[in-house]
Amino acid sequence: MSKKQEKQYSISISTEDFTYDTKNNIVQMVDSEGKTIAVDTWKYAIYFFENIQRKDISEHSVYLDGLRLDKFVEIFIKDKNHQKICTFLTDDYSCFLHHEMQEKHGTYINWVALYGLCAYIREIINRRYALLLKPTLKDTVEEIGGLDNLESVTFNLKNGNKHSTDFCEVKKLIVNSLEGSDMSMVGFDRIIKKIDVYTKEYGQIEFVRYISKFLHNYFSSVKRRKNSYLTTTEQKLVCYLLKFFDFSPEIVTESRFRQLFNNKYKAVDHIMPLIIPGLLETKLKLYIEFIPYSIWSKGNINPLKENELHKEAFVTNFTMNMGEMPDVSVLINLIDGIAGK
């Protein structure tokens, strides 16, 4: 599509069109009849929260993926998204996609509500945490065993003396001393944001899955090809959204979209509860992904390539050693975003 064709779909809006009302509508616009109307920023996000967002809220427990929508609205307003929404509404390619959904598929998308939804999904992904496990005894033995280039080791004694010994003998002593021990029992190293331990593909996969499911379900009347989850226009839209919401430096190709959408990465289904007696006096369950040392110690994890991330043994043998405690500020942050005030 040429720049000339793109321009014909442009619209005009400025930050002066933004106001707040009691329902958290943040944009006022003028319709075709000259009337000022408030645009519902949270229409799509509410649907997403009620029908798609992963959660388990009952009288027995509370679990929610990421954070509550009402908590996010507070964050959203404080962050002052005015200029970002202006850019989203007036970007040439954005306007073209909006027009194509109407002309080609007879579907009107509330672009402000789409922005609110995407910003919410991004925050959910950014607020997920992982618990990095310490090395098991087996991991330690394997790492020591892999040091084939070492001939000797030197110990600095407290009295100032030094003692050197053959490294092969040291390895034998370690292995012999660990015989009969539980080689899989492990404690935790630290809690970290998942986006900080995964490569960029993690955020791309999760965003593609959530926004694709919304488009498929919410706009169910759209005629799509047999066995096609989204139309080509919707796929182009998701590719554009990945870039606009900072999951990709450039607009990804439709083939890349299909790779992200169809891959077998299922980390969200392997989150397990972390229970800390005496610290959390609440029915809230914190679901945090456990990542074994053998995986995270190699560097950032690419979910498109990692096939050994989740194994039952890593979960069933997890234990928290006495004296170990996650960063309380992290837990408070999680609780504040999930549980009621």
Side-chain angles (χ1 to χ4, degrees):
M1 184 181 64
S2 68
K3 292 292 183 182
K4 183 177 181 181
Q5 288 176 308
E6 288 180 351
K7 287 292 184 182
Q8 66 178 310
Y9 303 124
S10 298
I11 60 176
S12 176
I13 189 171
S14 71
T15 55
E16 295 178 357
D17 296 307
F18 289 80
T19 61
Y20 297 111
D21 63 25
T22 56
K23 295 182 180 179
N24 291 313
N25 293 318
I26 65 165
V27 181
Q28 286 190 344
M29 302 180 71
V30 179
D31 66 12
S32 57
E33 299 178 354
K35 297 179 180 178
T36 301
I37 57 174
V39 180
D40 188 350
T41 310
W42 306 113
K43 181 179 181 180
Y44 296 163
I46 290 172
Y47 176 90
F48 176 86
F49 174 80
E50 293 178 347
N51 300 282
I52 298 175
Q53 188 172 356
R54 189 169 181 262
K55 59 183 178 293
D56 177 17
I57 301 175
S58 67
E59 60 179 291
H60 303 294
S61 64
V62 177
Y63 162 63
L64 186 63
D65 185 16
L67 77 167
R68 306 186 317 270
L69 177 58
D70 60 333
K71 178 65 179 179
F72 172 68
V73 173
E74 294 177 13
I75 297 172
F76 186 89
I77 292 175
K78 290 178 181 178
D79 286 348
K80 299 180 180 179
N81 285 263
H82 303 117
Q83 190 55 55
K84 293 179 182 178
I85 294 178
C86 282
T87 302
F88 186 62
L89 294 176
T90 57
D91 176 79
D92 292 338
Y93 191 55
S94 176
C95 293
F96 166 76
L97 292 171
H98 185 270
H99 178 82
E100 186 169 291
M101 283 299 298
Q102 286 184 274
E103 295 297 309
K104 197 172 182 179
H105 304 287
T107 301
Y108 173 81
I109 297 180
N110 179 335
W111 228 239
V112 177
L114 181 62
Y115 180 95
L117 169 65
C118 291
Y120 182 41
I121 293 175
R122 178 178 59 188
E123 187 69 12
I124 288 172
I125 295 171
N126 289 342
R127 283 178 64 95
R128 288 177 180 159
Y129 286 83
L131 189 150
L132 305 186
L133 300 183
K134 287 182 176 179
T136 62
L137 295 179
K138 182 179 179 181
D139 291 329
T140 302
V141 170
E142 288 178 351
E143 286 194 344
I144 293 174
L147 300 175
D148 296 327
N149 293 327
L150 289 180
E151 294 183 353
S152 65
V153 291
T154 300
F155 300 96
N156 293 319
L157 305 180
K158 289 183 178 180
N159 60 11
N161 294 329
K162 294 183 178 181
H163 175 71
S164 296
T165 186
D166 183 84
F167 184 63
C168 290
E169 293 301 319
V170 173
K171 287 201 291 187
K172 288 180 183 179
L173 287 172
I174 293 174
V175 173
N176 291 337
S177 67
L178 294 177
E179 284 184 357
S181 301
D182 187 340
M183 299 290 281
S184 60
M185 193 66 72
V186 63
F188 79 87
D189 184 86
R190 65 185 183 276
I191 291 179
I192 190 172
K193 285 188 175 181
K194 291 180 70 172
I195 57 172
D196 292 333
V197 74
Y198 280 87
T199 59
K200 64 183 179 182
E201 283 80 7
Y202 163 71
Q204 293 175 350
I205 290 170
E206 298 292 39
F207 183 83
V208 164
R209 287 181 174 173
Y210 257 161
I211 197 65
S212 295
K213 189 170 185 179
F214 168 79
L215 292 171
H216 179 83
N217 291 2
Y218 192 88
F219 299 104
S220 57
S221 61
V222 172
K223 293 183 179 180
R224 302 179 176 100
R225 292 180 181 178
K226 186 178 180 180
N227 299 324
S228 180
Y229 198 76
L230 298 178
T231 65
T232 55
T233 304
E234 289 171 318
Q235 290 181 33
K236 288 189 291 185
L237 173 59
V238 176
C239 292
Y240 168 75
L241 294 173
L242 278 169
K243 177 183 182 297
F244 191 89
F245 287 91
D246 304 319
F247 288 103
S248 172
E250 302 294 338
I251 298 177
V252 304
T253 63
E254 291 167 56
S255 61
R256 177 63 168 177
F257 162 82
R258 290 188 289 272
Q259 181 189 29
L260 295 169
F261 182 82
N262 294 321
N263 80 89
K264 297 180 180 180
Y265 175 68
K266 300 288 184 183
V268 73
D269 295 324
H270 292 272
I271 298 174
M272 299 293 291
L274 174 63
I275 301 173
I276 307 175
L279 179 62
L280 302 180
E281 302 298 334
T282 173
K283 63 181 179 180
L284 176 70
K285 290 183 179 180
L286 297 180
Y287 279 56
I288 300 176
E289 182 182 358
F290 296 176
I291 303 180
Y293 173 82
S294 60
I295 301 298
W296 67 261
S297 61
K298 298 174 183 177
N300 283 2
I301 305 163
N302 185 338
L304 293 177
K305 298 179 180 179
E306 185 57 67
N307 297 319
E308 302 296 322
L309 181 57
H310 296 288
K311 288 186 176 181
E312 190 65 24
F314 288 130
V315 175
T316 56
N317 290 302
F318 171 76
T319 183
M320 181 174 292
N321 297 329
M322 291 298 293
E324 292 184 332
M325 191 66 68
D327 184 346
V328 175
S329 64
V330 171
L331 296 177
I332 292 174
N333 187 36
L334 284 169
I335 294 168
D336 184 46
I338 296 172
K341 294 181 178 180

